Amino acid sequence: MLPNLPDPSLRQPLTLTAVIPLYLCYYAMAVLAILPNTFILKLSLLPFIVWQAWTCAVGLNFSMWLAQSLGLQSADRLNFWNFLFVASTLFMALRSFEWTFIKRPLRKYELQKDQVTPVERPLYVSNVLLDAFDLFFNQRGIGWSWSSNPFPRENTLPLSIASVWAKMLLKFTAFDTSLYIIHRVCPSVNNPEGGSLFDPTLSLLPRTALAAFSAICGGVWVYAFVDSMYHIATLIGRIILRQPAWQWPRLTHRPWMATSIQEFWSFRWHQSLRHFFIIFGARPGGALLGKPGAVMGAFTVSAFIHYIGVWGLGNGIEFSTSGGFFLLMGLGAVMEGAFKQATGLRVQGWIGWSWMMLWTLVWGTFMLDGWARRGMLANDFLPDRLRPGKMLVDSIITLIE
């Protein structure tokens, strides 16, 4: 049984004085992770980071601070950002734990033009400070020794900055459109206190079909949000920080084309937290139960992070939907491995695609319903007059009518 979490209604609005100590300690931990012979210092700093991360995650309300900054009277329709704040804050604590016990210092590599073999950046003071800043935000390990693929190679030419802008606008429009469609077909979920995708006024078949359709839109919503945020980060990195295009490879690989659950989660879906899930889930799980344990361990960590994140919404929590979805995705991947071991055949082709879609959609519908009942879908990301998806859908409805 999972432990009870604090009452989210007792949280106070986030303040800079409350979070700056955490960020400074986390940055200091990144510096120490790069330098040699710093284990004692890292071990001394770790309890402070863990304590600060937990205190900030359960004691501060990010959306209230955001509402105050935007001059809004209520933060009810900004709770989605609390989900991200809680999850990312705990991620910092766990990452600090990893850095404390690494066997070798982390190294940033340089790869100049016409250079085949990367070289380590020398430990000059300026390099260490800049590399620690990079490590602070770097989730994929691009250019770092801790990554299994520090220099990913793309089969296509890097996107121009204009193309990244266009993709960002397209993905954000898809994000807003999918959310608005869910609000149109399931008005009850557009309530900060939560509402279900399963309309009790409908009979079983149309009720289930409507919930499944909303779940498909929800999948597009999550995918488009993640991708659009990545494009924004890409623009910041390439325009402001002057980073080369190879440091920003594509985040996803058309996840709707996956022909197995393993392919979906191991390659086509974003791999931003792959290293994190391997360290804290796959390795200990694999040591205990072999490959099935490694798979379930990775998905268990993902389930835990999403479970804690939903608590941040402030409307209660349930592990069966917020975390259970990811455990069932792990179970599906294990079942595919067992099928291959028993038959010698891989799950693939149109049958594999159908299986992947069905398994993901069924359990994804219950997960999204759990999110909806906790108010995650009742959020305003832009004023109505600036929402591209709303304008698009309303225009189409006007033409049809």
Side-chain angles (χ1 to χ4, degrees):
M1 185 174 179
L2 293 171
N4 292 327
L5 292 168
D7 185 351
S9 65
L10 301 179
R11 291 175 295 180
Q12 298 298 313
L14 179 146
T15 61
L16 293 180
T17 55
V19 296
I20 283 178
L22 170 62
Y23 295 150
L24 288 178
C25 288
Y26 184 62
Y27 178 77
M29 180 66 83
V31 171
L32 295 175
I34 296 172
L35 296 174
N37 305 317
T38 57
F39 174 71
I40 298 301
L41 292 175
K42 291 186 294 183
L43 191 62
S44 302
L45 186 59
L46 180 61
F48 293 98
I49 295 180
V50 172
W51 174 77
Q52 289 172 338
W54 177 255
T55 302
C56 290
V58 303
L60 299 179
N61 192 311
F62 183 88
S63 63
M64 290 180 65
W65 168 80
L66 185 60
Q68 293 173 358
S69 301
L70 297 175
L72 302 177
Q73 296 182 348
S74 173
D76 290 345
R77 298 191 64 83
L78 297 173
N79 278 332
F80 177 81
W81 300 106
N82 276 336
F83 173 92
L84 297 181
F85 174 73
V86 171
S88 62
T89 302
L90 294 181
F91 170 77
M92 293 168 67
L94 291 175
R95 204 173 184 207
S96 297
F97 189 89
E98 177 201 354
W99 290 345
T100 299
F101 296 99
I102 52 176
K103 296 180 180 179
R104 301 181 186 84
L106 305 180
R107 288 289 181 264
K108 180 74 180 294
Y109 294 137
E110 289 181 326
L111 186 63
Q112 304 297 336
K113 290 183 178 180
D114 302 324
Q115 194 176 30
V116 178
T117 304
V119 295
E120 293 184 1
R121 279 164 62 87
L123 293 180
Y124 301 141
V125 173
S126 58
N127 283 353
V128 171
L129 296 178
L130 288 174
D131 291 349
F133 183 76
D134 184 295
L135 187 61
F136 189 107
F137 295 100
N138 197 317
Q139 296 181 357
R140 303 175 70 185
I142 305 297
W144 282 90
S145 60
W146 54 269
S147 173
S148 60
N149 186 22
F151 296 97
R153 300 297 182 182
E154 296 283 315
N155 295 326
T156 58
L157 293 175
L159 293 176
S160 65
I161 291 179
S163 297
V164 176
W165 270 105
K167 280 183 170 289
M168 185 270 291
L169 294 174
L170 177 63
K171 296 295 174 60
F172 187 82
T173 300
F175 159 76
D176 188 54
T177 300
S178 55
L179 181 61
Y180 185 59
I181 290 175
I182 296 174
H183 290 168
R184 293 279 303 193
V185 300
C186 295
S188 64
V189 306
N190 195 19
N191 181 342
E193 296 182 359
S196 178
L197 297 179
F198 294 92
D199 190 341
T201 65
L202 300 176
S203 58
L204 179 61
L205 186 59
R207 181 195 314 159
T208 304
L210 180 63
F213 171 75
S214 298
I216 293 173
C217 293
V220 175
W221 175 64
V222 173
Y223 160 75
F225 173 79
V226 172
D227 240 29
S228 59
M229 292 299 102
Y230 183 73
H231 288 316
I232 291 174
T234 301
L235 292 171
I236 294 174
R238 293 182 59 180
I239 296 176
I240 299 178
L241 302 180
R242 312 302 297 173
Q243 294 175 330
W246 67 263
Q247 290 192 15
W248 294 94
R250 61 192 302 179
L251 184 65
T252 57
H253 296 80
R254 299 178 181 177
W256 57 88
M257 295 183 66
T259 56
S260 70
I261 293 172
Q262 291 185 19
E263 181 186 359
F264 181 94
W265 291 106
S266 66
F267 170 66
R268 292 195 178 274
W269 192 242
H270 79 85
Q271 304 296 300
S272 298
L273 302 179
R274 178 186 179 91
H275 177 80
F276 175 75
F277 294 152
I278 290 174
I279 294 294
F280 291 98
R283 287 184 181 175
L288 292 174
L289 299 172
K291 187 174 181 180
V295 173
M296 292 306 301
F299 279 99
T300 298
V301 175
S302 179
F304 172 76
I305 291 296
H306 286 83
Y307 168 75
I308 298 296
V310 171
W311 173 88
L313 299 173
N315 291 320
I317 194 169
E318 58 187 53
F319 186 82
S320 59
T321 55
S322 57
F325 167 79
F326 296 96
L327 296 182
L328 287 163
M329 291 300 103
L331 177 61
V334 170
M335 291 166 59
E336 290 180 354
F339 175 82
K340 181 181 179 182
Q341 188 174 13
T343 65
L345 301 174
R346 293 179 56 190
V347 176
Q348 58 184 346
W350 70 268
I351 295 179
W353 180 88
S354 301
W355 143 256
M356 183 276 300
M357 282 292 184
L358 179 63
W359 187 261
T360 306
L361 179 60
V362 169
W363 303 120
T365 299
F366 289 108
M367 181 187 69
L368 193 72
D369 180 63
W371 286 1
R373 287 185 283 104
R374 305 304 172 186
M376 184 181 284
L377 302 183
N379 281 272
D380 294 334
F381 295 90
L382 283 176
D384 280 353
R385 66 181 183 278
L386 299 178
R387 294 182 60 182
K390 182 179 186 301
M391 290 187 285
L392 177 63
V393 173
D394 287 345
S395 298
I396 294 174
I397 292 175
T398 301
L399 290 175
I400 295 175
E401 293 177 346

